[in-house]
Amino acid sequence: MPKSFTEDQVIDRIEDMRRRRPRFEDVHITMSHGAGGKASRQLVEGLIVPLLTNPTLEALGDAAVLDVDGLGLAITTDAFVVSPLRFPGGSIGELAVNGTVNDLAVMGARPLALSAALILEEGLDVEVLRAEVQAMADAAARAGVAIVTGDTKVVERGKADGMYVATTGVGRIAPGVRLGPDRVRVGDRVLVSGTIGDHGVAIMLARGQLDLEADVRSDTRELWSLVSGLLAACGDGLHCLRDATRGGVATVLNEIAMASQLGVVVAEDRLPVRPSVAGAGEILGIDPLYVANEGKFVAFVAPEVAEQAVATLRALPGGEDAALIGEVRVEPPARVLGRTTFGGHRMIDVLVGDPLPRIC
Amino acid sequence: MPKSFTEDQVIDRIEDMRRRRPRFEDVHITMSHGAGGKASRQLVEGLIVPLLTNPTLEALGDAAVLDVDGLGLAITTDAFVVSPLRFPGGSIGELAVNGTVNDLAVMGARPLALSAALILEEGLDVEVLRAEVQAMADAAARAGVAIVTGDTKVVERGKADGMYVATTGVGRIAPGVRLGPDRVRVGDRVLVSGTIGDHGVAIMLARGQLDLEADVRSDTRELWSLVSGLLAACGDGLHCLRDATRGGVATVLNEIAMASQLGVVVAEDRLPVRPSVAGAGEILGIDPLYVANEGKFVAFVAPEVAEQAVATLRALPGGEDAALIGEVRVEPPARVLGRTTFGGHRMIDVLVGDPLPRIC
């Protein structure tokens, strides 16, 4: 269990570290660099972004935003290397489409078109491929978007674990919609669109390496229908959205806190966690706050629309378990504090290390 | 050496086969499915496209074309799995950017933005990664485009051969520009933008598995500068462009012949081939017409602008070896005929099998 700190103690810790630009000093790539936490951030911000330097990339949103003659376009890309390819509640093809649609959705962008690049392993059973392409088609149809272009490569037996998928999405941002951490204000309420940790725990269990059985299914689903409902209900009161994938809700909250230089205080007893996920997490020693989701976002909304936002989400399929979980304060700047059930506080830092590789 | 046939004999061969929609009946994925020839076409058109059915995808261009409120957007994606990662004349990062820029360029689209998804192997030397990200940045700068978003995943040691890269490009098609096989007309001249076969032969030699040394470098380069010159010089007389990557010039010519249901007759003695490539090809038993290029396109232009087109290309960097290589005729419908130096003809079919895996 995490230790409890007073708020002041928490604020004083690792102050310097958080303000520095991440440096990348590793010599070899490790699994941690792909886990979505600190090591990933160091790789991306310390090595890749400085080399590719351009202002759009440096914004480091879930999707890049372009203005083309007044037309707001969002572009996002993701590689999917999840293992196993199929798991309770979904599969790599469904994940690839939903993940990309969701990165557009949280920028407030309606998906216009998707592309898919498949890297297939020699010897892959064609029925496995067929099932995944069908899963992609079905997921795209549910999100109201088409896969308009693609590419297929084959690598030798033993590589690529059956298949990897890279999807890219192009979306359109409605005029006037602008979401981002720079719009987050003190007093904003923080909500999640549903239960947390389902996807990551489902994958861990599906690997069958643990002596544990539990009925946990991935939450993979498209989020555009929920986001469009929220945009309609909250208007300008919707300030920032992030989908809580690798690194989980804790990492997303930290990213927003760092980008806004404001504090996020989370009421831990309000976090919606399924009992099966909580139970599995306890046995595995994993906090659901750090576990990947594939159909959940975190929203920052103005206080006056917060109740309406939750009510709107709860009335939509996939948003039934939406909950207010916290608020934005001046203190602690650039940090996330958890208020525990017993009145204590703990610092909720970004994910360190790699408890859950190959989760998406 | 290929056998020679009379034109009539060639026309009669495999007529049925060419008109059928490819069927996909394989049970397992093989390297051939990634080689860009017949097996690749069967996989894509026989399995993937029917499942993902939508009109934009079914056009099967180098890039998909979308109309967004009158704005013409092109979207393309490619996965790169080339082995080795570095080779004379280029590397995977450079290839990934140029390949995507070129798929946009041959649709007449100026590149607006690129995305890059990296799949890294655990244990990859960070200096190798740094060099490839730098190569991507440099290639993007040469093409006048930025990499605006990306993703990084890590897979276990032994997978992914160091790194795979999937790039997607979004481009803008100028109003009035429309290129495609449906615009190809009888009498059109066929030209290539330079020497053929350089990339594929360079990769084969770089693998070091052949007891052969020759100074052959990949031709990887961006083609937008050549295409924009050609658009300016030929206007509406530029009918169709394709970049001649996997499967080589022969495969591209076949794709256009099949799509237009017209015949393409190629004067084989006009094909620009470097002596080192021709020599290596002869020893290896490989026809440069079937070898991948990464900086060459095939253009179909109206006869009245053909000379101007070649002159324009030759005056631009990367187009010095541009050449007229053939023309479009009524016969043989949907086929490509090679006119050999000795007055005979051979049927130039699409690539069968997999002489050159992992070429891009």
Side-chain angles (χ1 to χ4, degrees):
Chain A
M1 292 300 291
K3 275 199 288 182
S4 276
F5 298 94
T6 68
E7 199 159 330
D8 275 355
Q9 283 176 313
V10 167
I11 293 170
D12 289 342
R13 287 171 64 91
I14 56 168
E15 186 79 30
D16 305 340
M17 199 197 77
R18 305 293 299 262
R19 297 187 182 280
R20 273 192 258 133
R21 175 159 201 151
R23 276 184 301 181
F24 189 74
E25 294 172 338
D26 297 338
V27 176
H28 293 102
I29 295 297
T30 66
M31 295 303 291
S32 300
H33 294 124
K38 258 186 190 137
S40 296
R41 183 173 160 243
Q42 280 166 344
L43 171 64
V44 171
E45 295 181 39
L47 186 145
I48 295 177
V49 171
L51 290 173
L52 296 179
T53 185
N54 66 78
T56 314
L57 181 67
E58 281 159 21
L60 286 176
D62 284 293
V65 176
L66 296 185
D67 183 310
V68 184
D69 284 359
L71 185 77
L73 290 181
I75 305 175
T76 186
T77 198
D78 274 297
F80 292 85
V81 299
V82 64
S83 172
L85 297 178
R86 303 221 129 215
F87 41 82
S91 68
I92 191 171
E94 191 178 352
L95 211 58
V97 167
N98 288 340
T100 297
V101 165
N102 294 349
D103 280 341
L104 295 176
V106 296
M107 299 302 282
R110 180 172 63 83
L112 287 177
L114 303 182
S115 72
L118 307 177
I119 298 174
L120 307 178
E121 179 180 348
E122 181 186 20
L124 176 67
D125 186 323
V126 165
E127 290 313 311
V128 171
L129 174 61
R130 193 189 306 274
E132 291 315 313
V133 177
Q134 186 65 60
M136 296 182 81
D138 294 344
R142 281 194 294 273
V145 65
I147 297 169
V148 297
T149 190
D151 186 36
T152 306
K153 294 282 159 67
V154 181
V155 295
E156 291 85 0
R157 212 176 281 269
K159 317 279 182 187
D161 300 296
M163 63 191 294
Y164 301 146
V165 182
T167 36
T168 301
V170 178
R172 180 173 183 175
I173 302 172
V177 171
R178 205 177 59 73
L179 304 174
D182 56 314
R183 292 203 55 221
V184 171
R185 296 286 173 269
V186 172
D188 275 3
R189 299 297 190 265
V190 183
L191 57 89
V192 291
S193 63
T195 56
I196 67 173
D198 303 53
H199 177 74
V201 170
I203 297 293
M204 291 202 79
L205 296 176
R207 289 193 186 142
Q209 297 163 339
L210 304 164
D211 219 9
L212 185 64
E213 281 187 37
D215 182 25
V216 180
R217 297 171 64 80
S218 168
D219 61 341
T220 180
R221 58 167 294 128
E222 62 83 21
L223 290 171
W224 171 241
S225 54
L226 289 178
V227 169
S228 59
L230 210 53
L231 281 166
C234 299
D236 207 45
L238 180 59
H239 292 163
C240 183
L241 290 174
R242 284 281 166 105
D243 64 330
T245 54
R246 277 184 297 178
V249 168
T251 300
V252 164
L253 294 176
N254 270 279
E255 286 170 1
I256 303 297
M258 282 186 268
S260 65
Q261 290 291 308
L262 295 173
V264 176
V265 179
V266 174
E268 300 215 30
D269 55 356
R270 295 212 195 156
L271 290 167
V273 185
R274 287 186 204 284
S276 55
V277 171
E282 205 149 315
I283 293 167
L284 302 169
I286 292 171
D287 185 338
L289 261 177
Y290 290 93
V291 175
N293 309 277
E294 289 291 342
K296 300 295 156 47
F297 58 73
V298 174
F300 290 71
V301 300
E304 58 274 18
V305 300
E307 289 300 334
Q308 175 63 26
V310 173
T312 299
L313 290 176
R314 287 188 175 166
L316 290 169
E320 297 85 352
D321 298 312
L324 281 171
I325 62 164
E327 67 175 85
V328 178
R329 299 194 183 163
V330 176
E331 299 285 341
R335 286 192 182 151
V336 181
L337 269 190
R339 216 173 48 216
T340 63
T341 319
F342 312 106
H345 291 86
R346 66 164 176 156
M347 181 178 64
I348 298 174
D349 207 342
V350 296
L351 183 66
V352 183
D354 184 24
L356 299 165
R358 310 282 302 274
I359 211 78
C360 60
Chain B
M1 290 300 290
K3 276 198 288 184
S4 277
F5 299 93
T6 69
E7 199 158 331
D8 275 353
Q9 284 176 310
V10 167
I11 292 169
D12 290 341
R13 287 173 63 91
I14 56 168
E15 185 78 30
D16 306 338
M17 198 197 79
R18 305 295 298 264
R19 298 188 181 279
R20 273 191 258 133
R21 175 162 202 148
R23 275 184 302 178
F24 189 74
E25 294 171 339
D26 297 339
V27 175
H28 292 102
I29 295 297
T30 66
M31 295 305 290
S32 299
H33 294 125
K38 259 188 190 135
S40 297
R41 184 174 159 241
Q42 280 165 343
L43 172 64
V44 171
E45 296 181 38
L47 187 146
I48 295 176
V49 170
L51 290 173
L52 296 180
T53 183
N54 66 77
T56 314
L57 179 66
E58 280 157 22
L60 287 175
D62 283 295
V65 177
L66 295 185
D67 182 311
V68 185
D69 283 0
L71 185 78
L73 290 182
I75 305 175
T76 186
T77 197
D78 274 298
F80 292 85
V81 299
V82 64
S83 169
L85 297 178
R86 303 222 129 214
F87 42 82
S91 68
I92 191 170
E94 192 177 353
L95 211 56
V97 167
N98 289 340
T100 297
V101 165
N102 294 350
D103 281 340
L104 295 176
V106 295
M107 300 301 284
R110 179 172 64 82
L112 287 177
L114 302 182
S115 72
L118 307 177
I119 298 174
L120 308 178
E121 180 180 346
E122 181 186 21
L124 176 68
D125 186 323
V126 165
E127 289 313 310
V128 171
L129 175 61
R130 193 189 306 275
E132 292 314 315
V133 176
Q134 185 67 59
M136 297 182 80
D138 293 345
R142 282 194 295 272
V145 65
I147 297 169
V148 298
T149 190
D151 186 36
T152 307
K153 293 282 158 67
V154 181
V155 294
E156 291 85 359
R157 211 175 283 269
K159 316 280 181 185
D161 300 296
M163 63 190 295
Y164 301 145
V165 182
T167 36
T168 301
V170 177
R172 181 174 183 171
I173 303 172
V177 171
R178 205 178 58 75
L179 305 174
D182 57 312
R183 291 204 56 220
V184 171
R185 297 283 174 271
V186 172
D188 274 4
R189 299 297 190 267
V190 182
L191 57 89
V192 291
S193 63
T195 57
I196 67 173
D198 303 52
H199 176 74
V201 170
I203 297 293
M204 290 202 79
L205 296 176
R207 289 195 187 143
Q209 297 162 340
L210 305 164
D211 221 9
L212 184 64
E213 280 186 37
D215 182 25
V216 180
R217 296 170 65 80
S218 168
D219 61 341
T220 181
R221 59 167 293 128
E222 63 83 21
L223 291 171
W224 171 241
S225 54
L226 289 178
V227 169
S228 59
L230 209 52
L231 281 166
C234 299
D236 207 44
L238 180 59
H239 292 163
C240 184
L241 291 174
R242 283 281 165 107
D243 63 332
T245 54
R246 278 185 296 178
V249 168
T251 299
V252 164
L253 294 176
N254 270 280
E255 285 170 359
I256 303 296
M258 282 187 266
S260 66
Q261 290 291 309
L262 296 173
V264 176
V265 179
V266 174
E268 299 214 31
D269 56 355
R270 295 211 195 157
L271 290 168
V273 184
R274 287 185 204 285
S276 55
V277 171
E282 205 149 316
I283 293 167
L284 301 170
I286 290 171
D287 185 338
L289 261 177
Y290 290 93
V291 175
N293 309 278
E294 289 291 342
K296 300 295 155 48
F297 59 73
V298 175
F300 290 72
V301 300
E304 60 273 19
V305 300
E307 289 301 335
Q308 175 62 26
V310 173
T312 300
L313 290 176
R314 286 187 176 165
L316 291 169
E320 297 84 354
D321 298 312
L324 280 170
I325 62 164
E327 67 175 84
V328 177
R329 297 192 186 165
V330 175
E331 297 285 342
R335 285 187 181 157
V336 181
L337 270 189
R339 216 173 48 218
T340 63
T341 319
F342 312 107
H345 292 86
R346 65 162 174 155
M347 182 178 65
I348 299 174
D349 206 343
V350 296
L351 182 67
V352 183
D354 186 24
L356 298 165
R358 310 281 304 272
I359 211 78
C360 60

